[in-house]
C-alpha cells in the first residue's frame, strides 16, 4: 500500500461562483460589510461549492479513534482504556459531539483505526483497525510507512463516503488518550517553536505533569529529528493513527472539492501537516474555534488562520466544530434568504 495519492493536485475554487457571491452580497439589504465575517464565509462557500447560494445543511461528522504508545510515558491524566470506552459512548450517542451532530442534523460516524482494547461491532462505528495503537514514539517511530499509509487511506475512504453522500461540509473529530502529546510534537516540528511554548494539560495534567510531558516530547523530537525530513516522515515518527487519518481525509476532501471545518488542537495539528504537503488545502478549510490548549494559537498563527469562536473549549471530538457549524449555517441563510434592495424596494446607499 502506498501514499502516492496524497500528492495528487487539489481541486480549484470556482472563481466565477465567488464573484457571483460577492455580487449578491453587494445587493442585499444591509450596509456593505455589516455582517462581517458571515459575508466572507458565505462567499468562500460559494467558491468551494460552485454555486451562488451555498449550504452546509448536509454535514458529515467523522470521529477517528486511535490509541498512542506514548501514553506509557505517563503523559496523560487518563488511562488508555478510556479511548475504547468513549468509542462505545459515541456509538450510544452519549458524547458532546453526538448531541451537537443531532442538533445540526449532521450525519455521524466513528472510524476506529486502532484502540488498545478489542471492541465489539457497534452502531455507527466502522472498524478500520490497523494495530492496537501506535508504538511509543519516545522509543521508536510511531508507525511504519505501511501503517501510516493504511491510516491515511482510512481517512481517504471517509472522504470518499462523504462525497458519495453528497456532503456539503465535513467535520473531522478525534479520540485518543495521549494524542495531545503527538499533536504538540507535530506542532513543534511544523512551527519550529519550543515544546515549552506549545505543551498543555491535555486531559487535565497538573503543572508537574505538564513539565514531565514537555520533557518526554522534547527528548522524542531530538531522537527523531534527523529522520523527520518531510511531513510524511514527521507524521510517521511522531503522529497518531487518528491524526494520520485526519490528514488523509483533509487531503482527499481538498482533491474532491468538499469544504472542511477544522475543530481544535488535535485536528489543527493534522491540518498543519496537510498544509505542509498541500499549502492550498487552506482554501478548503474553515477553523472552528480557539482551543484552550496553549499551543493552538501558535499553530493558527503559522497557518494564517482565524478561529470563528473562542469559548475556552478543549474537549476535542469535533465538539468545537459542532458548535461553529451553526455559525456557517447563519452565514448561508443570511446570504441566501435576505432580500436584495430591488426585491425589498429599499433605497441603496447614495453615491
Amino acid at each position: 500500500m502506498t501514499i502516492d495519492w496524497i500528492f495528487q493536485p487539489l481541486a480549484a475554487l470556482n472563481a466565477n461562483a465567488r464573484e457571483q457571491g460577492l455580487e449578491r452580497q453587494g445587493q442585499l439589504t444591509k450596509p456593505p460589510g455589516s455582517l462581517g465575517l458571515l459575508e466572507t464565509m458565505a462567499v468562500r462557500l460559494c467558491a468551494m461549492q460552485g454555486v451562488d447560494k451555498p449550504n452546509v445543511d448536509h454535514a458529515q461528522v467523522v470521529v477517528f479513534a486511535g490509541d498512542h504508545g506514548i501514553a506509557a510515558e505517563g503523559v496523560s491524566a487518563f488511562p488508555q482504556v478510556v479511548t475504547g470506552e468513549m468509542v462505545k459512548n459515541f456509538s450510544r450517542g452519549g458524547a458532546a459531539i453526538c448531541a451537537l451532530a443531532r442538533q445540526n442534523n449532521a450525519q455521524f460516524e466513528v472510524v476506529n483505526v486502532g484502540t488498545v482494547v478489542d471492541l465489539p461491532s457497534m452502531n455507527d462505528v466502522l472498524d478500520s483497525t490497523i494495530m492496537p495503537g501506535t508504538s511509543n514514539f519516545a522509543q521508536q517511530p510511531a508507525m511504519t510507512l505501511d501503517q501510516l499509509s493504511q491510516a491515511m487511506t482510512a481517512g481517504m475512504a471517509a472522504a470518499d463516503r462523504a462525497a458519495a453522500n453528497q456532503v456539503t461540509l465535513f467535520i473531522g473529530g478525534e479520540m485518543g488518550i495521549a494524542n495531545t502529546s503527538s499533536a504538540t510534537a507535530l506542532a513543534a516540528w511544523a512551527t519550529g517553536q519550543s515544546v515549552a511554548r506549545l505543551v498543555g494539560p491535555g486531559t487535565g495534567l497538573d503543572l508537574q505533569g505538564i513539565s514531565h510531558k514537555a520533557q518526554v516530547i522534547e527528548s522524542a523530537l531530538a531522537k527523531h529529528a534527523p529522520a523527520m525530513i518531510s511531513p510524511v516522515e514527521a507524521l510517521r515518527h511522531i503522529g497518531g493513527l487518528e491524526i494520520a487519518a485526519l490528514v488523509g481525509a483533509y487531503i482527499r476532501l481538498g482533491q474532491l472539492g468538499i469544504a472542511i471545518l477544522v475543530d481544535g488542537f488535535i485536528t489543527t495539528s493534522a491540518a498543519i501537516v496537510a498544509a505542509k504537503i498541500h499549502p492550498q488545502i487552506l482554501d478548503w478549510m474553515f477553523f472552528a474555534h480557539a482551543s484552550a490548549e496553549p499551543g493552538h494559537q501558535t499553530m493558527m498563527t503559522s497557518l494564517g488562520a482565524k478561529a470563528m469562536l473562542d469559548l475556552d473549549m478543549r474537549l476535542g471530538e469535533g465538539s468545537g466544530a459542532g458548535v461553529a457549524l451553526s455559525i456557517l449555517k447563519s452565514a448561508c441563510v443570511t446570504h441566501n434568504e435576505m432580500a436584495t434592495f430591488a426585491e425589498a424596494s429599499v433605497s441603496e446607499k447614495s453615491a
Side-chain angles (χ1 to χ4, degrees), residues 100-124:
L100 291 164
R102 289 193 295 269
Q103 178 192 30
N104 286 288
N105 295 314
Q107 299 175 46
F108 179 81
E109 72 176 21
V110 179
V111 178
N112 178 13
V113 285
T115 54
V116 295
V117 295
D118 291 331
L119 295 174
S121 177
M122 291 177 278
N123 291 334
D124 299 324

Side-chain angles (χ1 to χ4, degrees), residues 119-145:
L119 295 174
S121 177
M122 291 177 278
N123 291 334
D124 299 324
V125 178
L126 179 64
D127 184 7
S128 296
T129 299
I130 297 160
M131 57 178 169
T134 55
S135 299
N136 181 355
F137 73 78
Q139 307 295 331
Q140 64 188 88
M143 293 167 270
T144 66
L145 188 58

Side-chain angles (χ1 to χ4, degrees), residues 29-73:
T29 49
K30 58 178 175 60
S34 58
L35 283 177
L37 292 178
L38 291 182
E39 299 181 16
T40 304
M41 293 172 195
V43 171
R44 286 192 66 203
L45 282 166
C46 288
M48 292 173 180
Q49 297 178 3
V51 297
D52 61 348
K53 291 185 176 182
N55 81 84
V56 290
D57 295 334
H58 305 288
Q60 169 84 59
V61 178
V62 180
V63 177
F64 297 97
D67 274 309
H68 291 251
I70 195 72
E73 302 296 325

Side-chain angles (χ1 to χ4, degrees), residues 66-81 83 116 132-140 176-179 181-182 205 209 212-213 216-217 220:
D67 274 309
H68 291 251
I70 195 72
E73 302 296 325
V75 294
S76 175
F78 281 78
Q80 279 192 297
V81 67
T83 304
V116 295
T134 55
S135 299
N136 181 355
F137 73 78
Q139 307 295 331
Q140 64 188 88
I177 293 299
N179 63 6
S181 292
S182 183
L205 292 172
H212 169 69
K213 178 178 175 181
V216 170
I217 296 169

Side-chain angles (χ1 to χ4, degrees), residues 103-243:
Q103 178 192 30
N104 286 288
N105 295 314
Q107 299 175 46
F108 179 81
E109 72 176 21
V110 179
V111 178
N112 178 13
V113 285
T115 54
V116 295
V117 295
D118 291 331
L119 295 174
S121 177
M122 291 177 278
N123 291 334
D124 299 324
V125 178
L126 179 64
D127 184 7
S128 296
T129 299
I130 297 160
M131 57 178 169
T134 55
S135 299
N136 181 355
F137 73 78
Q139 307 295 331
Q140 64 188 88
M143 293 167 270
T144 66
L145 188 58
D146 184 64
Q147 289 162 345
L148 173 65
S149 177
Q150 290 180 62
M152 298 185 80
T153 300
M156 178 186 71
D160 286 342
R161 289 193 297 275
N165 291 330
Q166 298 183 309
V167 164
T168 55
L169 183 79
F170 185 98
I171 294 173
E174 41 63 41
M175 179 64 218
I177 293 299
N179 63 6
T180 57
S181 292
S182 183
T184 301
L186 288 168
W189 174 84
T191 66
Q193 297 295 324
S194 68
V195 172
R197 180 174 177 177
L198 300 167
V199 72
T203 52
L205 292 172
D206 59 17
L207 290 177
Q208 183 178 353
I210 294 172
S211 177
H212 169 69
K213 178 178 175 181
Q215 292 171 6
V216 170
I217 296 169
E218 287 171 352
S219 176
L221 284 171
K223 179 182 181 66
H224 297 302
M228 295 192 295
I229 57 174
S230 70
V232 168
E233 283 301 309
L235 191 57
R236 182 174 80 82
H237 278 79
I238 58 175
L241 293 166
E242 83 284 29
I243 296 174

Side-chain angles (χ1 to χ4, degrees), residues 96-97 100 202 263-266 288-294 296 309-324:
I97 187 56
L100 291 164
D263 182 39
F265 185 63
I266 310 300
H289 75 114
S291 171
E293 278 291 305
H296 191 237
L309 299 170
D310 187 352
L311 300 175
D312 207 28
M313 295 176 68
R314 56 180 183 86
L315 174 60
E317 303 176 0
S319 56
V323 176

